[in-house]
């Protein structure tokens, strides 16, 4: 089996694949960005597995599962474990079910687990891979834009607990990430827009070239034109790979990737993870962060306007209706919370800083810019 994989590996990969490295010493791995990677997934399997367990989003499996299985069947027996794509599936009990299923299927330590879907599949499947038999080789094949530019890169795995999102999890790096941009064509447009929030985040924080692509290629992005998506996913994955290589466990540089997420996560929680998609909440979170930076004298009006224009351009909300008590209440009332809260802000575009001196007054001054009294925005 090993020989077969090796022989194919020399000539079977799709021709125009961009390969990026996440440089983490012995845990280094490559991210491959291109078209047709679902059909050539077996080329990226290393070692001598006798079976592959695919942990797949059920909708993604229905559409692409047979193609992936055909490719992986040259590696060994292929098992398909299906999970719902909803955030509620990222539960302790669902993780337990996956682990029991892996054991029933007699998946062994030298076999391979492949996750196939969006952030739920990679977080949940990555978590299962990290604890099953103390760690099984893992390949992520993210099929959402959010997964390709963020969730599948960097080794964060997790499940939600009743007390909060991602409260249990591990850092567990995959052995490869395959970003097949051709599957983005079948993403619902709301999901595509949600992923664009993370793309734009890289533009605001690191690379103005991403903002240029967003403004100049809006139509091509809306229709998931593969060459444009390859360019955007490649740029973002490259930034994330470098940030993770610098700060794998999220203590310094990686914190910047949470731009817009402090407010965004609070908004998601207030909407019980149903009202707002992640990217929609992060869009408002970035608008809030831009306005916070403005009231603190870090970002000028034009910087805020660039946020508004860019997010609006890709159809993301720049204002929304929410109950401020639910979203920012704790930051206004709890002094201890205020003093420990770290905010990622921009001291000018592409110049992120982490600040812990945001006050109640700053928050109160920034809020009106993102708050709509009506109508409700969040279920476009
Ligand atoms: N999603 C942010 C990170 O991976 O650190």
């Amino acid at each position: 089996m090993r020989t077969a994989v090796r022989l194919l590996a020399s000539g079977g990969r799709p021709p125009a694949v961009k390969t990026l490295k996440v440089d983490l010493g012995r845990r280094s791995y490559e991210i491959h960005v291109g078209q047709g990677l679902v059909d050539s997934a077996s080329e990226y399997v290393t070692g001598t597995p006798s079976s592959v367990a695919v942990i797949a989003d059920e909708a993604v499996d229905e559409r692409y599962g047979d193609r992936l299985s055909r490719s992986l069947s040259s590696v060994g027996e292929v098992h398909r474990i299906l999970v719902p794509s909803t955030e509620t599936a990222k539960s302790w009990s669902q993780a337990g079910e996956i682990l029991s299923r892996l054991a029933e299927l007699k998946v062994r330590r030298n076999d391979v687990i492949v996750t196939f879907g969006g952030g739920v599949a990679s977080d949940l499947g990555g978590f299962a891979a990290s604890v099953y038999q103390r760690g099984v080789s893992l390949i992520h094949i993210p099929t959402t834009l959010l997964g390709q530019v963020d969730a599948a890169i960097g080794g964060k795995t997790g499940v939600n607990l009743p007390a909060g999102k991602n409260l249990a999890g591990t850092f567990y790096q995959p052995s490869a990430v395959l970003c097949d941009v051709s599957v983005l064509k079948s993403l619902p447009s709301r999901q595509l827009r949600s992923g664009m929030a993370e793309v734009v985040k890289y533009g605001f924080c690191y690379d103005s070239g991403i903002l240029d692509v967003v403004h100049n290629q809006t139509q091509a992005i809306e229709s998931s034109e593969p060459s444009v998506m390859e360019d955007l996913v490649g740029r973002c994955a490259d930034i994330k790979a470098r940030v993770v290589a610098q700060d794998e466990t999220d203590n310094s540089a990686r914190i910047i990737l949470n731009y817009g997420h402090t407010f965004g996560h609070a908004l998601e929680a207030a909407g019980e993870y149903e009202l707002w998609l992640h990217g929609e909440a992060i869009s408002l979170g970035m608008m809030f962060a831009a306005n916070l930076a403005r009231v603190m004298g870090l970002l000028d009006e034009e910087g805020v306007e660039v946020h508004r224009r860019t997010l609006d351009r890709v159809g993301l909300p720049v204002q929304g209706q929410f109950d401020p008590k639910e979203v920012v209440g704790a930051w206004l009332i709890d002094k201890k919370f205020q003093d420990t809260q770290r905010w990622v802000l921009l001291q000018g575009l592409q110049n992120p800083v982490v600040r812990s001196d945001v006050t109640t007054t700053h928050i109160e001054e920034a809020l009106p810019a993102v708050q709509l009294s009506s109508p409700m925005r969040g279920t476009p």
Side-chain angles (χ1 to χ4, degrees):
M1 191 58 66
R2 177 177 205 142
T3 316
V5 172
R6 284 266 165 84
L7 282 175
L8 282 168
S10 60
R13 294 183 181 187
V17 172
K18 180 172 187 174
T19 298
L20 309 158
K21 184 173 180 188
V22 185
D23 197 350
L24 289 168
R26 288 177 56 220
R27 282 169 290 99
S28 295
Y29 57 96
E30 289 178 337
I31 304 164
H32 306 278
V33 182
Q35 298 177 52
L37 287 158
V38 167
D39 304 300
S40 58
S42 61
E43 308 303 314
Y44 301 88
V45 176
T46 53
T48 53
S50 51
S51 76
V52 183
V54 180
I55 299 174
D57 174 304
E58 54 198 7
V60 173
D61 178 80
E62 198 174 319
R63 192 179 269 266
Y64 299 109
D66 290 346
R67 274 171 54 189
L68 181 63
S69 292
R70 256 195 307 280
S71 170
L72 292 173
S73 61
S74 66
V75 173
E77 193 179 355
V78 179
H79 306 294
R80 286 150 78 160
I81 300 174
L82 306 190
V83 292
S85 52
T86 50
E87 186 68 25
T88 46
K90 254 178 64 178
S91 65
W92 192 251
S93 65
Q94 186 80 48
E97 275 178 39
I98 293 172
L99 293 171
S100 296
R101 191 79 190 109
L102 290 169
E104 275 164 26
L105 292 166
K106 302 199 175 358
V107 171
R108 296 177 314 160
R109 207 161 164 218
N110 65 341
D111 289 334
V112 177
I113 290 178
V114 172
T115 72
F116 192 38
V120 170
S122 59
D123 281 11
L124 182 63
F127 180 63
S130 73
V131 295
Y132 182 70
Q133 299 203 5
R134 299 196 177 84
V136 176
S137 178
L138 170 68
I139 294 177
H140 288 308
I141 309 182
T143 58
T144 62
L145 183 57
L146 193 85
Q148 296 190 353
V149 300
D150 186 32
I153 303 168
K156 279 188 184 172
T157 81
V159 296
N160 303 329
L161 299 182
K165 206 175 156 172
N166 293 328
L167 280 187
T170 54
F171 284 100
Y172 189 69
Q173 301 297 342
S175 59
V177 179
L178 311 184
C179 301
D180 186 339
V181 296
S182 52
V183 303
L184 298 177
K185 277 254 179 228
S186 56
L187 260 192
S189 54
R190 191 177 169 201
Q191 288 284 349
L192 185 80
R193 288 199 298 270
S194 175
M196 282 305 293
E198 298 286 354
V199 171
V200 164
K201 175 193 79 179
Y202 291 107
F204 293 151
C205 293
Y206 302 97
D207 177 4
S208 62
I210 290 175
L211 303 182
D212 294 339
V213 176
V214 169
H215 284 277
N216 297 333
Q217 303 279 1
T218 316
Q219 300 248 292
I221 292 167
E222 271 165 21
S223 56
S224 292
E225 181 54 49
S227 60
V228 176
M229 298 319 279
E230 240 173 87
D231 180 27
L232 280 179
V233 171
R235 283 171 185 262
C236 298
D238 187 36
I239 295 169
K240 178 128 191 203
R242 283 195 252 172
V243 171
V244 169
Q246 226 182 310
D247 174 27
E248 184 182 8
T249 51
D250 212 358
N251 298 307
S252 53
R254 193 164 176 172
I255 294 169
I256 304 299
L257 297 176
N258 283 331
Y259 184 56
H261 285 56
T262 306
F263 182 94
H265 280 161
L267 192 62
E268 277 185 281
E272 293 177 349
Y273 301 100
E274 282 180 357
L275 185 55
W276 304 92
L277 290 184
H278 179 70
E280 293 163 353
I282 299 315
S283 177
L284 283 176
M286 290 190 286
M287 281 308 299
F288 182 68
N291 279 287
L292 259 187
R294 175 182 55 79
V295 300
M296 293 173 76
L298 300 170
L299 189 67
D300 60 15
E301 294 284 354
E302 175 54 17
V304 178
E305 184 53 21
V306 168
H307 279 66
R308 199 198 57 72
R309 271 202 309 270
T310 311
L311 293 164
D312 191 52
R313 181 95 179 161
V314 291
L316 283 163
V318 292
Q319 285 189 309
Q321 193 191 49
F322 52 86
D323 179 348
K325 277 203 293 301
E326 281 181 24
V327 180
V328 299
W331 310 330
L332 298 177
I333 309 158
D334 185 345
K335 179 83 177 84
K336 226 176 342 169
F337 189 86
Q338 278 171 38
D339 290 346
T340 54
Q341 187 71 37
R342 289 188 294 183
W343 290 85
V344 182
L345 298 174
L346 295 185
Q347 191 161 3
L349 289 167
Q350 292 88 42
N351 187 26
V353 290
V354 179
R355 299 279 292 243
S356 36
D357 56 347
V358 173
T359 65
T360 304
T361 313
H362 296 140
I363 289 171
E364 281 170 346
E365 279 182 38
L367 258 184
V370 292
Q371 200 190 357
L372 262 188
S373 44
S374 68
M376 178 69 85
R377 177 76 162 89
T379 48

